[in-house]
Amino acid sequence: MGQIPVSALEKAMKILDRRACSAAELRSKLFQAGFPEDEVSCAVEECKRRRFIDDTLLAEDYTTLLRMRNTGSRVIRQKLVRRGLAAEIIDSALPEENSPAAEREAALRALDYKWRLLSRESDLRKKREKAFRYLAGRGFPSGLIFDLLNEKCRSNEEY
């Protein structure tokens, strides 16, 4: 028996069934599957029309998920760009970049989490270095990290 040809729209449905994608990601996956450009464009537009893909909603949901995982704005922005989202959609999903208080609050939550994990570390210098690397890796600005670490060390009675 021969293989039944799959349309680009059917393939798009299978892709979207597994994971939410941006329009750019879906377009790329359909091209990789070997569909011609006109079929890919029609399939992506049909998915948009049926609201199976919505880049704005995807950016907001993904930003919320990453924020819950104590991720900074820089890393969130990089991940959204990698998913092929437009700059204006990313800007609308990251309003806290304009709010230093929100970024500070997220960094403080991440620092509190890491500080608890480092409770057995007796050397304060090593503890600060590990916490700094953790926060920097999560995408928080170094100036903010230094401020929070200084406050944390001043507020701890044991130091």
Side-chain angles (χ1 to χ4, degrees), residues 3 15 33 38 40 42-43 57 61 64 81 92 94 105 111 117 142-144 153-155:
Q3 228 180 355
I15 291 169
D38 59 334
V40 169
C42 289
L57 186 60
D61 288 347
T64 302
V81 166
S92 69
L94 284 171
E105 181 61 34
L111 177 59
L117 293 178
S142 58
L144 175 61
C153 290
R154 270 184 259 137
S155 69

Side-chain angles (χ1 to χ4, degrees), residues 30 42 62 108-109 141 144 156:
L30 291 174
C42 289
Y62 196 50
L108 189 56
R109 281 193 315 271
L144 175 61
N156 276 353

Side-chain angles (χ1 to χ4, degrees), residues 134-153:
Y134 175 77
L135 292 173
R138 308 297 281 162
F140 295 105
S142 58
L144 175 61
I145 297 170
F146 281 124
D147 291 344
L148 292 176
L149 285 172
N150 288 336
E151 289 174 22
K152 182 66 115 175
C153 290

